[in-house]
Amino acid sequence: MTSDSGGAGPKTARQRIIEDAQLRCYDARSEYQQSSLLLSGQVSREQVYRLQQAVADYYWAIRPLRDEDPIRDWWDDVTLSEQWTYTVTTTEYEVQGSRAVPVEVTEEVPYTGLETLRDHLDQTETVTKTRTGMRGRRTEQVTRQKVLDAGVLVDISGVLDDAADKLGFSPEVKSIDHTDEVDEEDLEQLFEQGPQPVATDGGDGDGE
């Protein structure tokens, strides 16, 4: 089941869901990239969290079509980000004198397959926070949504764009693509928009 959003006729419910999620991801990615440039990379955790939520929505919008021919095999094999890796330890044997001696070898391997996101986008983490009040300073353990590295999220959003494109979902939008550079026109538009409200969903009131 593929669909060309530029064709005639009414859109299916799935097409509308994917295109809406795609546009939200484009907006979140553009907002992050522009803010990152303006703030020399010092973007707030809340803004990165919004990008992660947009990526998650995009993923869940496309996932029901993962068994369609254009993406069936690709879905489980695609590299998500060269920046997002895990450690693999294997045993190799070195010849020392007259014997083979086992040696552990570790390497960083990129995560592959979009199903990997199911295990990572909803993870939580426990952090120690220091709070100051009328009773003085105290520390406490706080559980919050785990946020992936922003560069990894941008890469994953590009992989999801590829999935949508393979399925034929390509709405016409003017946005900063994940491979584009931010230009002066983009910065002018950002200044014209003025300060944007900060969402607190999943964020932490103490900030970082």
Side-chain angles (χ1 to χ4, degrees):
M1 173 188 145
T2 60
S3 176
D4 183 353
S5 60
K11 296 182 179 181
T12 65
R14 178 55 50 188
Q15 185 175 353
R16 290 195 298 272
I17 290 171
I18 290 176
E19 291 186 359
D20 287 347
Q22 191 173 40
L23 290 170
R24 288 196 301 273
C25 192
Y26 283 171
D27 288 342
R29 184 170 63 205
S30 176
E31 179 186 355
Y32 161 74
Q33 289 175 318
Q34 293 179 24
S35 296
S36 180
L37 181 63
L38 286 171
L39 302 174
S40 300
Q42 301 300 311
V43 180
S44 70
R45 183 179 187 276
E46 286 77 9
Q47 192 164 32
V48 179
Y49 176 78
R50 286 198 294 273
L51 174 59
Q52 178 162 304
Q53 287 298 98
V55 168
D57 291 344
Y58 198 2
Y59 163 74
W60 286 111
I62 294 175
R63 187 175 181 273
L65 303 182
R66 66 192 181 281
D67 290 329
E68 295 293 320
D69 286 336
I71 64 171
R72 180 182 296 151
D73 297 328
W74 176 88
W75 182 270
D76 292 325
D77 296 332
V78 63
T79 297
L80 300 178
S81 172
E82 294 293 341
Q83 304 178 59
W84 192 26
T85 62
Y86 61 98
T87 302
V88 174
T89 302
T90 57
T91 300
E92 297 183 358
Y93 289 85
E94 289 184 356
V95 177
Q96 298 182 4
S98 59
R99 356 179 248 134
V101 179
V103 177
E104 286 192 346
V105 178
T106 61
E107 61 178 332
E108 295 298 314
V109 179
Y111 282 102
T112 57
L114 280 161
E115 284 301 280
T116 302
L117 297 182
R118 294 190 66 186
D119 300 326
H120 290 273
L121 290 177
D122 292 326
Q123 285 187 357
T124 59
E125 61 183 357
T126 301
V127 297
T128 301
K129 289 289 184 181
T130 301
R131 302 186 186 279
T132 303
M134 303 213 28
R135 297 181 180 179
R137 293 167 63 87
R138 71 182 190 280
T139 60
E140 60 184 30
Q141 299 294 311
V142 177
T143 299
R144 66 183 186 183
Q145 175 77 40
K146 186 174 182 178
V147 177
L148 298 180
D149 179 80
V152 169
L153 291 169
V154 170
D155 289 344
I156 293 172
S157 72
V159 174
L160 291 168
D161 283 344
D162 291 341
D165 186 60
K166 289 175 184 293
L167 290 166
F169 297 101
S170 300
E172 295 182 1
V173 294
K174 183 182 184 302
S175 65
I176 301 176
D177 188 73
H178 65 282
T179 59
D180 288 345
E181 295 291 336
V182 179
D183 57 24
E184 292 183 3
E185 180 181 351
D186 297 318
L187 295 179
E188 289 175 0
Q189 291 177 355
L190 183 63
F191 282 120
E192 289 173 1
Q193 292 171 0
Q196 300 298 308
V198 176
T200 58
D201 293 351
D204 194 297
D206 295 317
E208 287 194 347

